[in-house]
Amino acid sequence: MTSLTSHAPLPLQPLCDSKGRLLDEAIGWSNRPQVDCTLHGHAGRRKRWNHWCITTPQWMLSLTLADLDYLGYGAAYFLDLESGQAVAHAQFRPFALGCQLPDLPLESHAFSHSRLQLRIDEHPGRLRLTAAAPDIGGQPLQVALDIQRPAHLQSVNLVAPLQHGGFHATCRQLGLPTAGSLQLGGKHYRCVPGQSFAALDFGRGVWPLNTYWQRAAFAAAGGIAGNFGAGWLDHSGLSENSLWFGGEVQLLDSPLHIERSSQAPLAPWRLDSEDDCVALRFTPRQLHKACPKLGPFHANTVQRFGHYDGVLRGPKGERVPVDGALGWLGETHARW
């Protein structure tokens, strides 16, 4: 794959052949989805993952929908940034019953359980996100959000080979303008116009039994955003590290270092690229720990929510300030 500037639809490239072997033609990146991520073979090892994160100045919402072949997983986490109140709820479904995850990143998807309903309905240029849980932290949760996909807003679409015959396909969508509201118990939360954004992490592939990764991301007004990662792609020769300026995505060529200042739970982090395109400080305000387990399998995640400050280098070498941009930084150790 190569980066495209045209919005014209193209025939989709299959991710793998009928036996589940990654196709060389699918490897690489583009700024629009181009790959059909249908997975063949590898029964029990196929992974399908959609993670949404909504950021607003007052609150954040994280939703996970996952189909691990032998198990379905749905989770919701809400954080009130002003009061510090946080609530979370997760559910398993055997053999991913009630979990509907498509092969393309721009299609409707859902997780259905009596105690947790997550649904994303796609429409031309926009989507409707709804969620409901009768008891999350002792209170009912209702979510109804309208998320826009402006035609000019690009995304990071990457296919990378992994060790031992595995592979990873992802679509990172950041800075999607979001409107709507959320009701938690007796309190009503609204999106702030022009300052509320959604991000989608779409992942499909055959992943190692034991994995570790970091992911950091933020979005700000004016189509400025960043996506950074480290871990399982380190040996592939490919990277998803990228910046958005005015909605256009720019893949970073230089290595990027993600380092924390100390072992304190809410210690600041530094994100710096060797070519000085990224010089950011991430200051966490709240962290969320999740460790769903089933027998020998688990996914131990620590996700920190907070603000990014610093300077980016734009496409023409100009300085682009980042001042209090909302985002997150997470780490996951998984055996799945």
Side-chain angles (χ1 to χ4, degrees):
M1 291 191 299
T2 56
S3 177
L4 293 181
T5 56
S6 170
H7 295 177
L10 294 172
L12 292 174
Q13 164 66 48
L15 175 63
C16 55
D17 64 18
S18 60
K19 296 183 178 180
R21 293 172 298 201
L22 176 65
L23 295 173
D24 290 341
E25 296 83 358
I27 296 172
W29 88 282
S30 66
N31 58 25
R32 303 281 175 181
Q34 296 184 32
V35 174
D36 180 343
C37 294
T38 302
L39 298 174
H40 301 287
H42 304 283
R45 296 303 310 149
R46 296 168 296 196
K47 305 292 181 260
R48 301 171 179 88
W49 169 281
N50 282 40
H51 175 264
W52 286 92
C53 192
I54 315 299
T55 60
T56 81
Q58 285 82 40
W59 54 272
M60 290 184 170
L61 175 69
S62 174
L63 303 175
T64 302
L65 305 83
D67 176 348
L68 309 181
D69 250 6
Y70 54 86
L71 184 71
Y73 175 70
Y77 170 73
F78 172 79
L79 169 63
D80 185 323
L81 287 168
E82 296 182 334
S83 70
Q85 179 191 16
V87 293
H89 184 76
Q91 287 292 154
F92 292 118
R93 295 300 307 264
F95 306 108
L97 298 173
C99 191
Q100 304 168 31
L101 292 182
D103 299 319
L104 303 175
L106 303 183
E107 292 188 347
S108 300
H109 46 287
F111 177 87
S112 180
H113 188 279
S114 60
R115 298 184 62 191
L116 182 64
Q117 298 277 336
L118 309 175
R119 186 170 185 87
I120 293 85
D121 293 304
E122 290 280 352
H123 304 278
R126 64 181 183 88
L127 60 92
R128 177 75 167 173
L129 186 155
T130 56
D135 184 351
I136 179 169
Q139 303 176 84
L141 172 71
Q142 293 283 341
V143 181
L145 301 175
D146 290 301
I147 300 172
Q148 302 299 312
R149 278 210 181 88
H152 71 280
L153 184 57
Q154 299 176 351
S155 56
V156 171
N157 303 272
L158 179 72
V159 175
L162 303 177
Q163 294 177 317
H164 309 298
F167 52 88
H168 173 56
T170 189
C171 176
R172 309 289 198 193
Q173 302 174 21
L174 270 78
L176 304 173
T178 301
S181 63
L182 177 154
Q183 184 84 23
L184 177 63
K187 191 166 183 179
H188 196 68
Y189 297 86
R190 293 189 177 277
C191 292
V192 178
Q195 301 181 58
S196 302
F197 303 100
L200 170 63
D201 169 10
F202 168 98
R204 302 291 185 272
V206 177
W207 302 340
L209 176 63
N210 296 292
T211 55
Y212 167 76
W213 71 89
Q214 290 178 320
R215 187 186 175 212
F218 74 89
I224 308 300
N227 179 83
F228 315 105
W232 61 5
L233 296 184
D234 292 351
H235 302 288
S236 70
L238 297 169
S239 168
E240 64 184 51
N241 295 331
S242 47
L243 300 172
W244 280 256
F245 298 101
E248 293 187 4
V249 69
Q250 170 183 316
L251 203 63
L252 295 177
D253 295 324
S254 176
L256 181 129
H257 304 285
I258 303 175
E259 299 176 345
R260 63 192 303 178
S261 59
S262 77
Q263 294 302 308
L266 296 179
W269 292 66
R270 288 290 316 178
L271 293 86
D272 297 284
S273 64
E274 295 182 3
D275 61 2
D276 295 326
C277 283
V278 177
L280 294 173
R281 176 185 174 93
F282 173 66
T283 305
R285 292 183 57 178
Q286 187 83 13
L287 63 82
H288 171 55
K289 295 182 179 181
C291 189
K293 294 182 179 180
L294 181 69
F297 304 111
H298 66 270
N300 189 355
T301 297
V302 178
Q303 193 170 17
R304 300 166 179 86
F305 298 89
H307 295 92
Y308 284 85
D309 298 278
V311 177
L312 307 175
R313 291 287 180 184
K316 299 178 181 179
E318 71 275 22
R319 289 170 53 89
V320 179
V322 176
D323 183 13
L326 288 167
W328 66 95
L329 190 155
E331 296 179 282
T332 298
H333 292 82
R335 178 179 175 83
W336 54 4

